[in-house]
């Protein structure tokens, strides 16, 4: 069972529909005690980093996630959910994140090295550059296009980056360290590649809990 965390800032409908297309059992809840028995957790997110962290802290979900990570439960953050996995963000006001991965969420500068302005947010289809092709998330996934919508990106260590995309700078598109994983794009809106990555995460959850194989 995959638990989709509802903290008031996630696109729950599209994520849940993607899991239904994969024939994966899931539950959506804003109560940590209902999510406690799940084999894997999804942390979706849209909106501002400080608001998201405030919601997670006030609900007790942040402490719950820290406990589940310590227990070794696979966790996948999506879009803002991925950014929340890191140490801090400069969005709106400096805000501490969950701190599972090293790095800081920073805003696109909006001006390239030649002084030419470029659009913020980074929105639309962009291709993936595989940095760690042996990652579970990239199993049988080509260097295909996926769908992004974000004005901030993560500045992190190279060894955390599984795949990147280029948007005036090298943007971490998939990150991972152990069982803590994240995607900056929306896999549920990213056609074949996105669904394959989401399927790989679910397969990883199943394998981790010896539940079998997703056909």
């Amino acid at each position: 069972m995959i638990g989709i965390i509802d903290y008031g800032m996630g696109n729950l409908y599209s994520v849940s529909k993607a899991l239904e297309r994969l024939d994966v059992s899931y539950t959506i809840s804003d109560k940590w005690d209902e999510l406690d028995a799940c084999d894997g957790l999804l942390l979706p997110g849209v909106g501002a980093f400080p608001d998201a962290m405030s919601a997670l802290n006030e609900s007790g979900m942040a402490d719950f996630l820290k406990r589940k990570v310590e227990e070794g439960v696979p966790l996948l953050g999506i879009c803002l959910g991925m950014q929340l996995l890191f140490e801090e963000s400069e969005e709106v006001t400096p805000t501490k994140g969950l701190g599972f991965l090293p790095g800081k969420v920073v805003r696109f500068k909006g001006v390239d090295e030649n002084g030419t302005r470029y659009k913020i947010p980074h929105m639309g289809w962009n291709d993936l550059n595989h940095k760690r092709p042996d990652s579970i998330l990239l199993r049988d996934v080509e260097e295909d296009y996926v769908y992004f919508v974000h004005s901030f990106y993560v500045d992190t260590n190279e060894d955390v980056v599984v795949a990147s995309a280029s948007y005036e700078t090298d943007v971490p598109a998939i990150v991972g360290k152990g069982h803590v994983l994240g995607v900056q794009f929306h896999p549920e809106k990213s056609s074949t590649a996105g669904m394959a990555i989401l399927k790989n995460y679910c397969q990883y959850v199943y394998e981790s809990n010896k539940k079998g194989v997703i056909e």
Side-chain angles (χ1 to χ4, degrees):
M1 175 77 74
I2 302 293
I4 303 175
I5 299 168
D6 178 7
Y7 59 108
M9 298 189 66
N11 191 348
L12 307 180
Y13 179 80
S14 61
V15 173
S16 63
K17 287 301 177 183
L19 293 183
E20 288 178 13
R21 292 197 296 272
L22 292 172
D23 197 25
V24 171
S25 298
Y26 70 89
T27 185
I28 300 173
S29 181
D30 60 355
K31 297 178 175 60
W32 62 264
D33 53 336
E34 294 179 355
L35 296 164
D36 205 21
C38 292
D39 303 309
L41 297 168
L42 285 179
L43 181 65
V46 291
F49 191 105
D51 293 338
M53 279 307 305
S54 177
L56 290 174
N57 285 324
E58 290 176 6
S59 65
M61 199 65 76
D63 289 336
F64 165 73
L65 286 171
K66 291 172 184 177
R67 176 168 62 83
K68 299 309 286 185
V69 166
E70 289 176 356
E71 292 175 359
V73 173
L75 170 64
L76 177 68
I78 297 175
C79 197
L80 173 61
M82 183 198 97
Q83 296 178 359
L84 295 170
L85 303 177
F86 289 84
E87 294 170 307
E88 60 180 320
S89 172
E90 67 177 25
E91 183 176 3
V92 184
T93 186
T95 305
K96 295 293 184 183
L98 293 167
F100 300 145
L101 299 173
K104 182 178 182 179
V105 179
V106 298
R107 183 175 174 84
F108 284 108
K109 293 180 179 179
V111 180
D112 66 18
E113 59 184 13
N114 298 315
T116 302
R117 293 188 175 277
Y118 59 88
K119 290 183 179 179
I120 301 174
H122 170 209
M123 181 168 66
W125 296 87
N126 204 340
D127 57 334
L128 292 176
N129 176 20
H130 294 189
K131 301 289 189 179
R132 285 164 44 199
D134 60 338
S135 168
I136 180 64
L137 291 183
L138 294 179
R139 184 166 56 189
D140 298 323
V141 176
E142 302 293 333
E143 291 190 335
D144 206 346
Y145 284 74
V146 292
Y147 188 77
F148 293 85
V149 183
H150 62 121
S151 299
F152 292 77
Y153 68 98
V154 176
D155 182 11
T156 185
N157 302 339
E158 287 186 9
D159 62 351
V160 173
V161 181
V162 173
S164 65
S166 179
Y167 193 69
E168 301 302 332
T169 188
D170 207 32
V171 178
I174 304 176
V175 297
K177 186 176 182 181
H179 54 281
V180 177
L181 307 163
V183 291
Q184 179 62 75
F185 53 91
H186 288 274
E188 75 281 7
K189 298 180 180 180
S190 295
S191 190
T192 304
M195 289 299 291
I197 290 166
L198 194 56
K199 178 180 177 180
N200 283 340
Y201 167 72
C202 295
Q203 182 60 54
Y204 171 55
V205 172
Y206 275 47
E207 292 171 355
S208 296
N209 291 277
K210 298 181 174 60
K211 293 292 181 66
V213 176
I214 300 174
E215 298 296 340

